[in-house]
Amino acid sequence: MADYFENLVVQKLALIAELNDPINPELYQTYDVKRGLRYVDGRGVLVGLTQIGDVIGYEVKDGQKIAVPGKLLYRGYDVEDLIKDTDSHDEFGFEQTIYLLLFGQLPTRNQLEEFQSFLGTRRILPDNFTEDMIMKAPSPDIMNKLARSVLASYSYDDMAEDVSISNNLRQCIDLIARFPTFAAYAYQAKRRHYDGKSMYIHNPLPELSTAENFLRLIRPNKQYSRLEAEILDLALILHAEHGGGNNSTFSIHVVSSTDTDTYSAVAAAVGSLKGRRHGGANMKVMEMMDDIKANIKDWSNESEIREYLRKIIRKEAFDRTGLIYGQGHAVYTVSDPRAILLRDKAAALAKEKDMLEEYNLYCTIERLAPQVFAEEKNSDKKICTNVDFFSGFVYTMLNIPRELYTPIFAMSRIAGWAAHRIEEVIAGGRIYRPAYKNVLAPKIFIPIEDRK
């Protein structure tokens, strides 16, 4: 009964808050507010400078946006070249990507091997951390547990408040190394506590890559194929960095600008990435694809697929938002290079897993969705398939549980976050303080005995 009345009180207070907080949308135009720090045409407001990553999807000529094929640069290098080099040497490339992002240069063979070895030694969690911080306090949401693990790391660091560059670097490398272990152990604790299933705690092996270790940690038998590890490694490379303007990386800059500790800044970024408008987007893609697969009888019938996409856009199907998830991007217009690279590599895995029929369905939707969007909206706006469209499918083929999809994103993006954290500490020097316009007129105060 107490819970019942408590809920009534909360609902009543929520209604009061909702009724008192709306803002007339027209006021945003009146005061020329850049909502979401974006201009009307979708371009981001320039708020900082970076040398870490660049996202290219259009050029601006004479004040007009001109769509161009997408490019993703890490420290000035095209990520496609980084991946080609990885493939040509038949090795895993995420560790080289981390080195490049942190230190701004491509490592020599000796530098890379030394860095890989050091990273490997940092994967095991501090004494008693697994039991006290993860097993005794499991969470139904792995991203929530990941953020808590980052904050808990503060208590295991005797130099947690030291913001020198060398200490920042040590802390960042530790977090990069431990994120896969945090996520895997949090998943195992969740399995036992919330799902009633067996829990398997394996130690990470220092000689293995990040991708290999993660697959080893989440599987009862610790087994994985070379192709499975390679495509997960590719996904980690592609998600590692995406410029300073994406929400979670911007969060790192904002929080770091206050001169706080590394753990507080990184935890804020994890919280940002958790959102479905950001790192959780691939979950919406998977939910949409579940709906599409359930409602389209013949996955090879393009006419049937096209008509169902129309229903989604018309808000007649799936979640009635009118959105085809995994289509469109804030920067990329003609193409998202990450989606192309992941799609092409996924073909081999689909063949190995006997999932080519489903893979072909994804490719058909990728091709048809921009056409249907243009027809339904009567628009010449260019949209392309983004990386979220294929990443969830890849993780499905890897038999990775859905609750780990966004944590995998975090395992990768911590490399970019770390680089931006250090960049802000070195080159920032000024706390972020944007302005908000108050649009509520002053009120005359009413004593409590006169209020109605």
Side-chain angles (χ1 to χ4, degrees):
M1 185 63 70
D3 289 344
Y4 173 76
F5 285 110
E6 182 178 307
N7 288 336
L8 285 180
V9 171
V10 171
Q11 290 174 15
K12 184 176 180 180
L13 292 174
L15 181 60
I16 293 172
E18 190 174 341
L19 291 174
N20 280 279
D21 273 348
I23 294 177
N24 185 343
E26 295 179 0
L27 292 178
Y28 290 100
Q29 294 183 342
T30 301
Y31 294 106
D32 191 28
V33 177
K34 308 299 186 293
R35 300 188 72 180
L37 289 179
R38 296 187 193 183
Y39 293 107
V40 175
D41 64 2
R43 289 180 296 124
V45 174
L46 187 62
V47 297
L49 303 174
T50 185
Q51 295 183 355
I52 298 169
D54 196 10
V55 183
I56 301 171
Y58 57 82
E59 297 175 350
V60 179
K61 293 184 178 180
D62 299 324
Q64 298 294 317
K65 287 173 60 176
I66 300 175
V68 298
K71 289 287 183 184
L72 176 59
L73 306 181
Y74 291 173
R75 293 289 191 174
Y77 296 101
D78 194 321
V79 73
E80 293 186 38
D81 293 329
L82 189 65
I83 291 167
K84 287 177 183 177
D85 181 68
T86 297
D87 290 341
S88 69
H89 291 90
D90 192 27
E91 57 189 14
F92 298 103
F94 182 52
E95 287 69 33
Q96 180 176 209
T97 302
I98 298 169
Y99 188 101
L100 173 62
L101 291 173
L102 286 179
F103 304 110
Q105 60 186 29
L106 293 168
T108 64
R109 175 58 63 185
N110 287 340
Q111 287 173 330
L112 179 58
E113 289 177 354
E114 183 180 47
F115 181 68
Q116 289 171 324
S117 178
F118 180 68
L119 200 64
T121 65
R122 310 305 296 170
R123 296 192 191 280
I124 295 178
L125 304 188
D127 291 343
N128 302 318
F129 190 103
T130 301
E131 182 178 358
D132 293 343
M133 296 299 164
I134 298 179
M135 299 306 164
K136 289 182 179 178
S139 172
D141 186 280
I142 309 304
M143 287 296 286
N144 170 270
K145 189 70 234 180
L146 185 57
R148 289 158 64 188
S149 295
V150 172
L151 289 173
S153 298
Y154 181 102
S155 302
Y156 291 77
D157 186 349
D158 293 335
M159 300 174 66
E161 286 289 346
D162 181 350
V163 294
S164 66
I165 300 306
S166 60
N167 195 55
N168 261 292
L169 184 60
R170 175 194 58 86
Q171 291 170 328
C172 286
I173 291 175
D174 279 356
L175 288 175
I176 290 169
R178 291 169 183 170
F179 258 44
T181 315
F182 287 155
Y185 288 0
Y187 166 67
Q188 297 293 350
K190 185 257 182 186
R191 274 176 54 92
R192 181 184 67 175
H193 188 82
Y194 291 96
D195 302 340
K197 298 179 180 179
S198 297
M199 178 177 67
Y200 301 89
I201 300 296
H202 309 308
N203 288 328
L205 299 181
E207 66 271 19
L208 297 183
S209 69
T210 302
E212 290 173 301
N213 261 310
F214 185 68
L215 291 175
R216 182 179 186 276
L217 291 175
I218 65 172
R219 293 180 172 176
N221 62 6
K222 299 181 282 190
Q223 300 300 306
Y224 55 87
S225 72
R226 174 75 183 191
L227 181 58
E228 286 180 317
E230 285 177 352
I231 197 165
L232 180 56
D233 180 72
L234 173 61
L236 294 175
I237 295 172
L238 294 174
H239 284 94
E241 160 63 5
H242 216 233
N246 69 82
N247 197 284
S248 56
T249 303
F250 184 55
S251 297
I252 276 280
H253 278 280
V254 171
V255 179
S256 294
S257 77
T258 69
D259 200 28
T260 192
D261 65 279
T262 297
Y263 303 108
S264 295
V266 172
V270 174
S272 165
L273 191 71
K274 178 177 179 286
R276 283 178 174 255
R277 292 180 182 176
H278 193 7
N282 56 20
M283 290 294 290
K284 290 298 292 184
V285 173
M286 296 307 296
E287 292 169 7
M288 179 190 73
M289 291 304 297
D290 287 343
D291 178 78
I292 288 174
K293 288 184 290 184
N295 287 280
I296 294 178
K297 296 179 181 179
D298 183 357
W299 294 358
S300 64
N301 188 324
E302 291 195 10
S303 296
E304 189 179 1
I305 295 171
R306 186 185 295 271
E307 287 310 306
Y308 199 75
L309 292 178
R310 290 191 196 281
K311 287 183 179 180
I312 293 176
I313 293 175
R314 293 171 182 172
K315 302 181 181 181
E316 298 171 356
F318 185 42
D319 61 1
R320 269 63 176 180
T321 62
L323 299 175
I324 301 178
Y325 295 97
Q327 301 298 317
H329 190 270
V331 180
Y332 297 125
T333 48
V334 175
S335 60
D336 180 342
R338 304 168 301 169
I340 295 171
L341 290 163
L342 200 58
R343 177 199 66 200
D344 292 348
K345 185 76 171 182
L349 187 63
K351 185 176 181 180
E352 179 181 282
K353 299 292 184 178
D354 195 24
M355 295 180 69
L356 281 173
E357 184 181 10
E358 189 169 344
Y359 173 76
N360 290 331
L361 173 62
Y362 273 81
C363 292
T364 301
I365 293 173
E366 176 192 23
R367 179 165 46 83
L368 295 180
Q371 301 173 16
V372 176
F373 177 87
E375 293 167 3
E376 287 295 311
K377 299 295 184 179
N378 192 25
S379 169
D380 59 359
K381 178 182 177 181
K382 292 184 180 297
I383 66 167
C384 64
T385 295
N386 62 50
V387 70
D388 294 319
F389 187 71
F390 285 104
S391 62
F393 176 56
V394 164
Y395 301 149
T396 298
M397 290 194 291
L398 291 173
N399 199 30
I400 294 175
R402 288 190 181 183
E403 57 260 55
L404 283 170
Y405 289 4
T406 309
I408 290 173
F409 196 162
M411 283 163 39
S412 170
R413 187 57 61 83
I414 177 61
W417 291 339
H420 282 274
R421 159 76 178 168
I422 294 169
E423 183 178 65
E424 182 63 40
V425 172
I426 293 174
R430 191 170 188 179
I431 189 171
Y432 280 82
R433 181 57 172 91
Y436 268 69
K437 172 70 176 179
N438 177 45
V439 292
L440 183 66
K443 298 179 180 179
I444 298 175
F445 186 81
I446 303 172
I448 193 166
E449 62 270 14
D450 295 332
R451 297 173 198 167
K452 297 180 181 179

